[in-house]
């Protein structure tokens, strides 16, 4: 957390509110399964969620979350069982939402222009970023 702050980055913890509080994280990122269980927004400055359906996105919006990740847009090794949405479905699913939505799943920086043309605020990734 200290290293992130020194670099000017926010610290968001994935699905562990106790850890997020203990380290003084800026926020919490929720998986879709946890999002579905919530009746109210968690008490953090920043809260976002991974979403896979329009219903997930609408739930995130109803809780006034700060952002959502939607995917998988393309086939991904981290979730091989999940069918890829594709860009047209992604674009349709994010229409008229009050928060930024980032594309996720099988993406790299090379997908940024397509993502933005499809209405995304950006792309999120793990493998492509770490593996260069």
């Amino acid at each position: 957390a200290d290293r992130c702050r020194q670099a000017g980055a926010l610290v968001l913890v994935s699905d562990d509110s106790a850890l997020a509080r203990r380290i003084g994280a800026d926020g919490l990122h929720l998986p879709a399964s946890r999002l579905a269980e919530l009746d109210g927004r968690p008490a953090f400055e920043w809260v976002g969620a991974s979403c896979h359906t329009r219903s997930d996105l609408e739930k995130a919006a109803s809780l006034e979350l700060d952002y959502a990740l939607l995917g998988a847009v393309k086939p991904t090794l981290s979730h091989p069982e999940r069918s890829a949405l594709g860009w047209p479905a992604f674009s349709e699913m994010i229409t008229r939402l009050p928060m930024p939505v980032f594309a996720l799943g099988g993406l790299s920086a090379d997908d940024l222009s397509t993502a933005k043309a499809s209405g995304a605020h950006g792309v999120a990734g793990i493998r492509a970023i770490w593996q260069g």
Side-chain angles (χ1 to χ4, degrees):
D2 290 339
R3 194 182 244 175
C4 291
R5 288 193 183 90
Q6 289 171 3
L10 294 173
V11 177
L12 283 87
V13 172
S14 181
D15 197 28
D16 189 336
S17 58
L19 174 63
R21 284 187 185 88
R22 189 167 61 249
I23 68 168
D26 299 295
L28 191 64
H29 181 82
L30 305 167
S33 58
R34 178 79 67 218
L35 175 66
E37 298 170 353
L38 293 178
D39 292 325
R41 179 189 163 102
F44 287 92
E45 183 177 355
W46 289 90
V47 183
S50 294
C51 298
H52 307 292
T53 65
R54 176 66 189 198
S55 178
D56 291 345
L57 291 165
E58 289 172 355
K59 175 79 180 231
S62 75
L63 294 173
E64 299 181 354
L65 299 192
D66 299 296
Y67 69 90
L69 304 180
L70 176 61
V73 176
K74 292 181 172 181
T76 176
L77 294 174
S78 58
H79 296 287
E81 76 288 353
R82 185 161 290 132
S83 297
L85 294 171
W87 290 115
F90 175 91
S91 185
E92 184 177 320
M93 288 173 70
I94 68 168
T95 59
R96 296 180 299 282
L97 290 171
M99 76 267 182
V101 180
F102 295 84
L104 177 68
L107 306 177
S108 71
D110 294 339
D111 294 292
L112 187 56
S113 62
T114 303
K116 291 201 172 229
S118 298
H121 282 72
V123 297
I126 299 170
R127 186 176 321 278
I129 294 165
W130 288 109
Q131 294 179 346

